[in-house]
Amino acid sequence: SEPTTSPKASRVKSVSSAPKVVEKKLKKMEQNKTAATRYRQKKRVEQEELSKEREELEKKNHELTEKVESISREI
């Protein structure tokens, strides 16, 4: 029968394969780390864009409020 890839099977393998397992785990950890960094950077950019949009909308709202008040005074 063919060897399985279950966790028990990896413990039964020879000692020479142990560094490969560790290497694989380290590679996976590094991939996860870079993915998390990319995700946080993407979220940071999205948050900055939303903040910028909010500021612009607040400015526009203030301008429109002033315009409404000005027109109301004219009437």
Side-chain angles (χ1 to χ4, degrees), residues 6 10-11 17-19 22-23 27-28 35 39 42-43 45-48 64:
S6 70
S10 65
R11 284 188 221 134
S17 69
V22 172
E23 190 177 315
K27 185 177 179 182
K28 193 70 173 171
Y39 176 80
K42 180 182 172 186
K43 287 296 176 186
V45 169
E46 288 175 358
Q47 191 61 43
E48 288 170 1
L64 290 171

Side-chain angles (χ1 to χ4, degrees), residues 2-54:
E2 293 184 32
T4 61
T5 57
S6 70
K8 287 182 180 180
S10 65
R11 284 188 221 134
V12 176
K13 289 180 185 176
S14 67
V15 178
S16 64
S17 69
K20 291 179 186 176
V21 173
V22 172
E23 190 177 315
K24 202 171 187 181
K25 279 188 179 181
L26 288 173
K27 185 177 179 182
K28 193 70 173 171
M29 285 172 59
E30 188 63 33
Q31 283 180 328
N32 188 43
K33 191 175 178 181
T34 58
T37 302
R38 283 193 313 270
Y39 176 80
R40 285 190 293 268
Q41 178 65 25
K42 180 182 172 186
K43 287 296 176 186
R44 193 175 300 119
V45 169
E46 288 175 358
Q47 191 61 43
E48 288 170 1
E49 289 172 355
L50 286 172
S51 182
K52 193 175 187 179
E53 183 181 1
R54 190 196 83 230

